[in-house]
Amino acid sequence: MPFTEVSLPSSPPAMVTTPVVKIAVSPSILTLRFPLKPLPIPSGAGVFRRPSPLRLRRIRSTAVAAWLQDSGATVAVLAGAYSLVLSFDFLTKRNLIEQNLSRKLVHVLSGVLFMSSWPIFSSTTGARYFAAIVPLINCLRLVAYGLGLFTNEGLIKSVTREGKREELLRGPLCYVLVLLVCTLFFWRQSPIGIVSLAMMSGGDGFADIVGRRFGTLKLPYNKRKSWIGSISMFTFGFLFSIG
């Protein structure tokens, strides 16, 4: 009975070049041969290759450059935040600006300027942690002054309603905690953090400024809040978010 048989040499796959096909036709056997290109074997498949020295130097230099950029940005933003409070403290002491207006301008500018500083940090994944140092230090600072561990009358007057140190542990502390959370969890990858900070800083800040001056018509369910203040909250929050 006729049969077909395919025979291959016992050499490795990369060495296979000419398989042999035997076709048995009684009473003689016919053998056919045809060429075949060598089977390709991926180079380095499944093998870890150490980066070249040049590539390692480039990786190290890039990491060092990012670290220096983020460190410098952190110092600059910290200095800017401290200077902002000092400036309004100076204006308040000289009676050039009301305490309430000073507090709200610090409220508005702190969040907006902090968000505006994000582009000066590097594009590495660790950049957000450097940026988060700024609200973290301010958070610790507010806790220390709020508990009476240290005294800073200028800070208290600039960011509180009634000039009491205990107020630092309420609104101002919540403010910097929101800055910290939005930096760590949203950063530049999501608009959620930016919109949240824009509403908190720009919207809420201008709601108080406008509401105190022009808020004669109060809300029916809250006589401490006005229609114009609430409308300003939405309007300025929207504009700051878009900006």
Side-chain angles (χ1 to χ4, degrees):
M1 177 181 292
F3 66 93
T4 302
E5 176 187 351
V6 177
S7 62
L8 296 174
S10 59
S11 58
M15 301 301 294
V16 176
T17 55
T18 55
V20 179
V21 179
K22 295 182 179 180
I23 303 177
V25 180
S26 180
S28 61
I29 296 178
L30 176 64
T31 301
L32 301 177
R33 296 175 182 270
F34 55 88
L36 185 67
K37 293 182 179 179
L39 298 176
I41 297 180
S43 59
V47 180
F48 174 76
R49 290 185 176 274
R50 184 181 180 83
S52 64
L54 179 59
R55 181 172 177 78
L56 284 175
R57 284 196 297 271
R58 288 177 179 173
I59 293 175
R60 291 193 189 102
S61 62
T62 302
V64 170
W67 185 87
L68 290 174
Q69 178 181 349
D70 292 333
S71 299
T74 302
V75 172
V77 176
L78 273 172
Y82 190 69
S83 300
L84 179 69
V85 176
L86 280 181
S87 300
F88 281 97
D89 176 36
F90 174 82
L91 295 175
T92 304
K93 284 181 178 179
R94 297 294 185 277
N95 294 321
L96 298 175
I97 190 172
E98 299 175 7
Q99 181 177 342
N100 265 328
L101 181 58
S102 170
R103 178 178 63 87
K104 277 304 173 180
L105 288 177
V106 170
H107 181 102
V108 173
L109 294 175
S110 294
V112 173
L113 293 178
F114 179 61
M115 280 189 294
S116 302
S117 72
W118 287 0
I120 69 176
F121 289 87
S122 71
S123 58
T124 61
T125 55
R128 69 178 67 196
Y129 302 109
F130 280 90
I133 292 175
V134 178
L136 177 61
I137 290 179
N138 283 323
C139 178
L140 298 175
R141 186 174 169 223
L142 290 174
V143 170
Y145 289 124
L147 294 176
L149 302 178
F150 304 98
T151 303
N152 189 332
E153 292 299 326
L155 173 66
I156 295 174
K157 289 180 179 179
S158 297
V159 299
T160 61
R161 290 178 183 270
E162 300 175 2
K164 299 178 181 179
R165 63 175 176 82
E166 293 83 5
E167 291 184 70
L168 295 175
L169 302 177
R170 300 171 194 163
L173 181 60
C174 292
Y175 185 95
V176 295
L177 286 176
V178 172
L179 289 178
L180 182 62
V181 170
C182 289
T183 303
L184 289 176
F185 292 97
F186 299 108
W187 192 224
R188 296 177 298 212
Q189 281 72 35
S190 171
I192 296 175
I194 294 174
V195 172
S196 300
L197 294 182
M199 292 300 296
M200 182 184 70
S201 56
D204 182 62
F206 276 97
D208 187 82
I209 294 173
V210 176
R212 284 181 183 275
R213 281 159 175 74
F214 309 105
T216 55
L217 187 60
K218 303 296 182 180
L219 297 176
Y221 54 86
N222 190 343
K223 297 302 180 181
R224 297 179 60 189
K225 305 295 181 181
S226 64
W227 282 104
I228 188 65
S230 300
I231 294 172
S232 299
M233 168 77 179
F234 173 80
T235 304
F236 283 97
F238 176 79
L239 293 175
F240 273 90
S241 300
I242 295 298

